[in-house]
Structure formats: C-alpha cells, structure tokens
C-alpha cells in the first residue's frame, strides 16, 4: 500500500474510530449473518488457537472470535492508531491480546496462526497488494489453518456492480444514521479498491489454499474461506 494511500486510510479511519462500532449495523445491512457466519466457520479442536485479525480496527470481529474461543491468543494489526486505541479499550485487562499498529500487507509475524481473519479491510488494497497479502497469509498459517475474509467485492459486470451499490445506498439512506454520518461513509468508499469474487477465489487457489469458496454472499458482501492443508511453504 503506497504511502499516500496509507495516509488517506489512516486519516479517514482515525476520524471515525470512536463512532465506528455504533454505525456498523446501519452500514452493513446483513450485519448478523455477515459476522456470524465468519465466526461460525472458524472451526478447530484447539481451545487456545492463535488468531490474527488483519485490519482489526476496533476489534469487532476479534471480540466475536473471543466469544467462541475465550482462551484464544489474539493478534490485532491495523494501520490506524485511533482504531487500535478503541480496541485496547474493548479488551482492557486481557493479557491474551496483542496489538500492532502497522501496514499488514507485508508484515512479518513471529508466530504462525490457526486462524487469520479479516473484516471489511482488504478491499482497500490494490489487486497486486491483495495477491501479496494472500500469499503472505498462506505462509503465516499453521498447517491446517484457516483464512476467513468477510469483505466487499466488485460486481462481475458494471450492471451488477451498480445494482449492488444502489441497493446499499438505499438502505443506508433509510437507516438511522445522520446526514453527516452518511456523508462520511460515502467519503470512505472513495478508498475502496474492490476486486470481483471470481478473481479473488482464483488468486487464493493459485497460492495453494484448499477448499476455497464463498460461504456467504449478500449483494457485494461476501465471506471467503480457504484452508492450508497438505502443503509445504
């Protein structure tokens, strides 16, 4: 992610950090299924899994993972310091949560993970950056580890993409959000660099992920899944 793009992302998400969680249900029409399914497919027999949350933001997805795996060791990485500050408040007093303020695209981790998860973050990367991240993610997983990406995608055609975006705007406009909050959300969409679903599934398979699929799809909201099995880095 280039420096200027980094600065834009940091600025926009620093500004909204404190209100971010409160706005989620209004900005994600499929909120319960979107996050609920992402967590439900994170299955392991390990009661203390190592979990990495890419673009963790305020720790919303991580908090849901912790409800399922309360003894998990969590690593949250995000480029926005303000977002991480909110996450620290959320998990205050917990010694099983680690925080990293950095660009996760090329970050090298000390440990390998049972789960690498992400929600509504990777679509801010350029396609080439997504490919690099997916490769690094594969390498950072334990054998048998799982990658789950709950994110937004580009429609396969201009017509479908317009259909997706217009539906989202109608629902946001009829939500409880203020005009200022809606305007801020629209402004953040200028940071989007979405890729279509077929391309991303193809990239994950090429890198070596097994059982690649989209487990859930609601217009342009999808939950992508892939496992690292019977492979060697």
């Amino acid at each position: 992610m280039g420096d200027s793009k980094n600065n834009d992302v940091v600025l926009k998400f620093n500004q909204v950090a404190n209100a971010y969680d409160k706005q989620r249900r209004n900005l994600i029409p499929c909120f319960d299924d979107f996050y609920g399914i992402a967590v439900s497919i994170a299955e392991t027999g390990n009661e203390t899994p190592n979990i990495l949350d890419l673009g963790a933001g305020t720790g919303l997805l991580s908090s849901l993972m912790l409800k399922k795996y309360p003894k998990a060791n969590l690593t949250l990485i995000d480029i926005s310091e303000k977002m991480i500050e909110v996450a620290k408040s959320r998990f205050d007093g917990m010694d099983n949560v680690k925080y990293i303020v950095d660009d996760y695209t090329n970050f090298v981790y000390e440990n390998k993970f049972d789960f690498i998860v992400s929600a509504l973050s990777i679509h801010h990367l350029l396609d080439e950056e997504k490919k690099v991240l997916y490769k690094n993610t594969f390498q950072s997983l334990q054998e048998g580890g799982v990658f789950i990406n709950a994110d937004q995608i580009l429609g396969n055609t201009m017509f479908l993409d317009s259909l997706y975006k217009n539906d989202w705007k109608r629902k946001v406009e009829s939500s409880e959000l203020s005009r200022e909050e809606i305007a801020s959300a629209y402004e953040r969409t200028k940071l989007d660099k979405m890729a279509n679903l077929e391309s991303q599934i193809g990239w994950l398979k090429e890198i070596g992920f097994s059982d690649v699929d989209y487990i859930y799809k609601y217009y342009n909201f999808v939950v992508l899944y892939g496992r690292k099995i019977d492979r060697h880095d």
Side-chain angles (χ1 to χ4, degrees):
M1 197 185 296
D3 289 342
S4 61
K5 182 68 178 297
N6 276 353
N7 292 338
D8 289 343
V9 171
V10 172
L11 177 63
K12 290 291 191 295
F13 283 91
N14 277 349
Q15 290 172 344
V16 76
N18 290 325
Y20 188 80
D21 283 2
K22 181 173 67 72
Q23 297 175 6
R24 288 297 82 192
R25 285 185 179 275
N26 290 305
L27 291 174
I28 307 170
C30 54
F31 181 94
D32 288 327
D33 284 341
F34 187 64
Y35 282 96
I37 289 171
V39 174
S40 73
I41 58 177
E43 290 293 337
T44 179
N46 183 2
E47 291 186 359
T48 58
N50 290 323
I51 302 174
L52 170 64
D53 189 346
L54 299 170
T58 62
L60 177 58
L61 178 57
S62 285
S63 70
L64 298 173
M65 292 293 290
L66 269 182
K67 287 183 179 178
K68 184 170 183 176
Y69 297 105
K71 297 179 182 179
N73 297 301
L74 267 173
T75 300
L76 280 63
I77 183 168
D78 198 282
I79 201 167
S80 168
E81 186 173 0
K82 293 292 186 183
M83 286 285 202
I84 289 293
E85 285 178 6
V86 176
K88 287 180 178 178
S89 296
R90 182 194 293 272
F91 301 118
D92 186 38
M94 300 186 68
D95 59 6
N96 59 335
V97 184
K98 177 182 177 181
Y99 309 93
I100 302 170
V101 178
D102 210 326
D103 179 357
Y104 58 66
T105 314
N106 279 298
F107 195 85
V108 178
Y109 304 93
E110 296 177 1
N111 303 316
K112 293 203 173 184
F113 301 92
D114 299 283
F115 298 117
I116 297 180
V117 300
S118 185
L120 298 172
S121 180
I122 294 173
H123 70 276
H124 294 130
L125 302 181
L126 297 169
D127 286 359
E128 289 306 313
E129 293 170 329
K130 290 185 184 75
K131 294 177 188 177
V132 169
L133 175 66
Y134 289 157
K135 182 176 181 180
N136 291 340
T137 297
F138 185 80
Q139 293 172 344
S140 297
L141 281 169
Q142 302 267 21
E143 198 73 18
V146 170
F147 173 50
I148 299 167
N149 181 25
D151 208 0
Q152 290 175 277
I153 58 160
L154 192 69
N156 281 336
T157 67
M158 290 180 64
F159 177 84
L160 286 172
D161 197 55
S162 177
L163 184 73
Y164 296 167
K165 289 173 180 173
N166 288 337
D167 177 81
W168 178 74
K169 285 182 178 180
R170 280 195 299 271
K171 287 167 180 169
V172 169
E173 293 282 348
S174 64
S175 73
E176 299 174 354
L177 293 174
S178 68
R179 299 311 306 173
E180 182 181 359
E181 289 173 322
I182 292 172
S184 176
Y186 288 167
E187 187 67 21
R188 291 195 301 278
T189 65
K190 295 178 181 179
L191 300 171
D192 293 349
K193 301 291 180 183
M194 291 186 280
N196 66 44
L197 181 58
E198 291 177 2
S199 294
Q200 295 188 75
I201 287 176
W203 299 336
L204 292 171
K205 288 180 177 178
E206 288 170 11
I207 287 163
F209 282 98
S210 299
D211 303 308
V212 177
D213 201 0
Y214 62 97
I215 307 298
Y216 174 76
K217 185 176 185 297
Y218 178 95
Y219 292 87
N220 70 327
F221 291 90
V222 301
V223 178
L224 281 165
Y225 178 93
R227 290 200 302 154
K228 180 179 180 177
I229 57 171
D230 298 324
R231 306 277 183 174
H232 299 283
D233 295 342

